Amino acid sequence: MSIQYIILAIFTQIRSIFLTMKHMFAKRETRLYPDHSVYLSPRYRGRIVLTKNPDGKERCVACNLCSVVCPVSCISLQKSQNKFGRWFPLFFRINFSRCIFCGLCEEACPTAAIQLIPDFELSDFNRKDLVYKKNDLSILGTGKYHNYNFYEKTGVYNQIDTSTKNSAHSIPVNIKDLLP
């Protein structure tokens, strides 16, 4: 054991004591989470929700694009068709225990039905409770896109609303303006 090693060891001990004393009287870094809200960036991606049109009807047309682009295959749905010919998801499930919140499902959705909102409180003690179904995912509002209606933007004839039957055909379709 050399003299240089002993001096270095003593200096290290003194430095450790100094750092401990410095942090002992410093301001706490602990966040009191439930009492004080956490800052989330505006582009934070959290809970996945299914939104509705401004008229209150379901936006999802069960095109299955969200399930196809999901890298972990946590989305499953089955398409059905109503008497007017419009598609809707018979069931829609997301397994949040597998979801990585990448946002690809939101990017792929042509109708802006599936959206990620800044809610991160998804923990649960039972893994089966993290499988959210259509009723758990649906919200009453329109989400981020308040005035977006896929059928109005695309000019697709919607047989459900017979009052707009003629106006839907008269609107020219702008193919460059189909994105939300």
Side-chain angles (χ1 to χ4, degrees):
M1 196 181 277
S2 68
I3 251 314
Q4 184 181 11
Y5 180 77
I6 293 173
I7 292 173
L8 184 63
I10 291 172
F11 176 73
T12 304
Q13 293 292 325
I14 292 172
R15 181 178 173 268
S16 298
I17 291 170
F18 173 73
L19 287 175
T20 303
M21 297 298 279
K22 180 182 170 188
H23 288 287
M24 187 180 295
F25 300 107
K27 186 179 177 183
R28 290 185 298 168
E29 293 290 330
T30 305
R31 310 253 182 216
L32 302 173
Y33 160 63
D35 299 329
H36 300 281
S37 63
V38 176
Y39 171 75
L40 297 174
S41 70
R43 297 187 61 167
Y44 181 80
R45 296 184 300 243
R47 179 188 301 265
I48 298 173
V49 294
L50 287 175
T51 60
K52 296 184 187 276
N53 278 333
D55 57 359
K57 295 177 184 166
E58 200 172 16
R59 275 186 175 162
C60 183
V61 293
C63 63
N64 215 11
L65 285 175
C66 55
S67 178
V68 170
V69 299
C70 183
V72 293
S73 300
C74 67
I75 300 174
S76 63
L77 64 135
Q78 183 178 3
K79 179 185 79 172
S80 185
Q81 194 170 10
N82 65 10
K83 63 182 179 180
F84 301 109
R86 182 175 172 180
W87 293 357
F88 68 96
L90 189 62
F91 72 86
F92 194 101
R93 288 188 209 123
I94 296 179
N95 188 350
F96 279 108
S97 65
R98 297 175 64 190
C99 183
I100 57 173
F101 303 98
C102 61
L104 290 176
C105 54
E106 184 181 18
E107 295 286 331
C109 185
T111 62
I114 187 165
Q115 297 178 12
L116 281 79
I117 60 172
D119 182 14
F120 59 90
E121 296 173 341
L122 290 168
S123 63
D124 206 326
F125 292 107
N126 190 359
R127 184 173 283 186
K128 289 182 179 178
D129 293 339
L130 290 173
V131 177
Y132 282 55
K133 297 181 180 172
K134 187 176 168 182
N135 290 339
D136 303 325
L137 296 167
S138 294
I139 63 171
L140 294 176
T142 57
K144 300 174 192 172
Y145 311 106
H146 301 292
N147 297 324
Y148 180 72
N149 189 338
F150 174 73
Y151 290 103
E152 287 180 5
K153 286 281 187 187
T154 57
V156 175
Y157 173 62
N158 189 0
Q159 295 179 352
I160 297 170
D161 190 8
T162 56
S163 64
T164 60
K165 182 178 177 182
N166 294 332
S167 64
H169 282 293
S170 64
I171 300 171
V173 177
N174 183 1
I175 59 170
K176 294 184 179 180
D177 193 30
L178 295 180
L179 298 175

